[in-house]
Amino acid sequence: MTGTLDPNLQADLEAVDQIPVVSSILEVICRTTGMGFAAVARVTEKKWIACAVLDNIQFGLVPGGELQLETTICHEIRQSEEAVIIDHVEKDERFRNHHTPLMYGFQSYISMPIIRKDGSFFGTLCAIDPNPARLNTPEVINMFKLYADLISFHLQAIEQLAFAEEKLLEEQKTAELREQFIAILGHDLRNPVTAVSNVGQLMIRMPLDDRLKRLAAILQDSSMRMKGLIDNLLDFARGRLGDGITLSLTHHEHLEKTLTHVISELLLASPERQIITDFNITGTVFCDSTRIAQLFSNLLSNALAHGKKDTPVNVSASNANDGFTLSVTNAGEQIPEAAMERLFQPFSRGEVKPGQQGLGLGLYISLEIAKAHGGRLSVMSTSEETRFTFQL
């Protein structure tokens, strides 16, 4: 009998069909044992399905053909996971009156369980013939065990290949999403934010009343924060989904000026705060000054957001002893130990107080910039102060 298979059983049938050695296995079994019918069967709690067949006795089964499960000995083998071997049904005390030989008219029978590598039962490798055959020998039994194990091995390989192909397809889809995501961040969002920022700058320079100037300052501040968020998201996308943080390294002669410009930008947003600097930068520093400015902006923004409002933030930078060190220190509460463990992880923000906007990417991006320079970023936090230090 045949019927419509559910997708899982159809996949099992197709998997056996993909094993190139199955037809050779069935042929060797028939030639070695002298039996006329051999098959690989998928056996479940409810079904017996022929996956591959060699039929020289016109038994009538083809791949995809089904037998009623209860009429087969394979039903018992699925429960015991033990092979059944019958040289001559009429002389076998256990099976001479068994309903299966009587129904299907065979005298010799052998069926070996096929166990998947995960330990689950797949089905059987079996053979039958209307005449007796010498099957219960070490040679025949070991041959069937070897072939059953070989089929199991191939089934596992096919599953792993299918899984790998599925993962590859997922990676391809991720790559497409990555390109779209970076394009949106790099162009579709950056351009309007830049336009808003430019409008804010123009308004600040215009002879406006105090109320409009305050609104222009808010516009400028908001666009700067939006640009920072976009930059961090763009770098996160590149770092996790693309080629990582990219650098343009040069011997920079004006790094102090770059750092001072970052301070000026942030003071526009927080004019009430005080930032004390101690710069001792001489000669050149081999770095990507734009990335150093981004790292510094993230650290300083973090200090202004989490430090005590009535206490200055201290910034020091020097390039003594053929190195470069930049530190940002703020007074405030000690960072909890649990938060310290995930401080540099993306989207980790700890306790967020009202007015502290952000995505929790600033410190992660800063660490990636430090790593890209071959440097390191460390943090020290006590009940008196918190200090982030970048060393190159």
Side-chain angles (χ1 to χ4, degrees):
M1 58 173 288
T2 59
T4 302
L5 299 180
D6 67 49
N8 291 332
L9 292 177
Q10 183 63 39
D12 291 335
L13 187 73
E14 293 172 357
V16 173
D17 187 56
Q18 293 177 45
I19 302 175
V21 297
V22 165
S23 59
S24 298
I25 288 174
L26 299 182
E27 185 175 349
V28 170
I29 285 174
C30 288
R31 288 189 178 185
T32 303
T33 62
M35 304 176 80
F37 177 91
V40 175
R42 176 72 172 102
V43 184
T44 70
E45 294 180 355
K46 297 180 178 180
K47 286 183 176 290
W48 187 106
I49 304 163
C51 298
V53 173
L54 177 59
D55 186 2
N56 295 323
I57 58 173
Q58 287 74 51
F59 185 71
L61 270 179
V62 296
E66 297 184 38
L67 298 178
Q68 188 175 348
L69 179 63
E70 291 74 14
T71 67
T72 70
I73 297 177
C74 293
H75 176 54
E76 301 168 23
I77 295 173
R78 186 190 65 80
Q79 296 172 324
S80 66
E81 296 189 0
E82 297 289 338
V84 171
I85 305 161
I86 310 171
D87 287 348
H88 193 172
V89 170
E90 291 183 358
K91 296 182 178 180
D92 192 292
E93 293 183 1
R94 179 183 174 189
F95 289 98
R96 68 175 58 173
N97 295 316
H98 195 281
H99 62 275
T100 299
L102 294 175
M103 177 178 291
Y104 294 114
F106 60 79
Q107 286 296 316
S108 55
Y109 175 90
I110 180 170
S111 184
M112 185 67 62
I114 300 173
I115 309 297
R116 293 181 186 269
K117 295 306 178 182
D118 62 4
S120 62
F121 183 86
F122 176 83
T124 60
L125 174 62
C126 54
I128 63 172
D129 195 87
N131 299 310
R134 191 164 179 264
L135 303 174
N136 201 358
T137 67
E139 293 80 10
V140 172
I141 293 172
N142 289 334
M143 178 183 67
F144 268 78
K145 285 182 178 179
L146 174 64
Y147 287 153
D149 193 55
L150 182 60
I151 292 170
S152 174
F153 170 82
H154 278 282
L155 288 172
Q156 182 188 35
I158 290 169
E159 289 177 358
Q160 291 175 338
L161 179 60
F163 178 76
E165 290 175 345
E166 182 180 352
K167 293 296 291 183
L168 178 60
L169 183 60
E170 290 178 3
E171 291 294 334
Q172 291 173 340
K173 291 180 179 179
T174 299
E176 293 174 1
L177 290 174
R178 174 194 68 199
E179 299 300 330
Q180 295 172 6
F181 184 63
I182 292 177
I184 290 171
L185 290 176
H187 302 286
D188 297 352
L189 288 179
R190 265 185 166 179
N191 291 342
V193 169
T194 301
V196 171
S197 178
N198 291 338
V199 170
Q201 290 181 14
L202 289 173
M203 290 180 64
I204 289 174
R205 295 170 186 171
M206 294 173 65
L208 304 173
D209 58 41
D210 291 342
R211 177 176 174 274
L212 289 177
K213 283 189 175 181
R214 286 197 301 272
L215 291 175
I218 292 173
L219 188 67
Q220 176 73 0
D221 175 39
S222 297
S223 64
M224 286 176 57
R225 283 207 309 269
M226 290 168 65
K227 183 178 181 299
L229 291 172
I230 292 170
D231 288 341
N232 282 340
L233 276 172
L234 184 59
D235 285 329
F236 174 75
R238 286 171 175 162
R240 284 298 180 93
L241 304 175
D243 299 325
I245 297 290
T246 57
L247 301 180
S248 178
L249 298 170
T250 59
H251 290 279
H252 198 68
E253 298 180 357
H254 308 290
L255 193 57
E256 181 175 333
K257 183 178 179 181
T258 299
L259 299 178
T260 302
H261 181 70
V262 171
I263 293 173
S264 300
E265 282 188 341
L266 291 177
L267 284 177
L268 284 175
S270 305
E272 77 285 356
R273 300 300 301 274
Q274 183 180 8
I275 299 174
I276 300 175
T277 61
D278 178 18
F279 291 154
N280 183 23
I281 304 174
T282 59
T284 64
V285 178
F286 187 64
C287 66
D288 183 331
S289 60
T290 302
R291 290 297 189 180
I292 296 298
Q294 185 182 1
L295 177 149
F296 179 47
S297 179
N298 285 335
L299 296 183
L300 188 54
S301 298
N302 197 61
L304 291 171
H306 296 280
K308 287 184 178 179
K309 306 302 181 184
D310 57 352
T311 305
V313 173
N314 292 282
V315 176
S316 66
S318 66
N319 63 336
N321 301 321
D322 296 327
F324 175 72
T325 302
L326 171 66
S327 68
V328 178
T329 307
N330 65 270
E333 297 177 3
Q334 182 175 359
I335 301 174
E337 185 176 346
M340 288 282 281
E341 295 177 357
R342 61 179 189 277
L343 200 60
F344 293 102
Q345 295 178 7
F347 305 111
S348 177
R349 301 181 58 198
E351 295 183 5
V352 180
K353 298 178 181 179
Q356 294 179 354
Q357 296 89 359
L359 296 172
L361 287 175
L363 291 179
Y364 167 77
I365 298 299
S366 299
L367 179 63
E368 293 301 305
I369 292 173
K371 289 179 179 178
H373 276 87
R376 66 190 185 95
L377 180 62
S378 59
V379 59
M380 181 275 297
S381 185
T382 67
S383 57
E384 297 179 354
E385 65 178 26
T386 295
R387 175 180 300 155
F388 286 87
T389 303
F390 166 60
Q391 291 178 301
L392 177 62

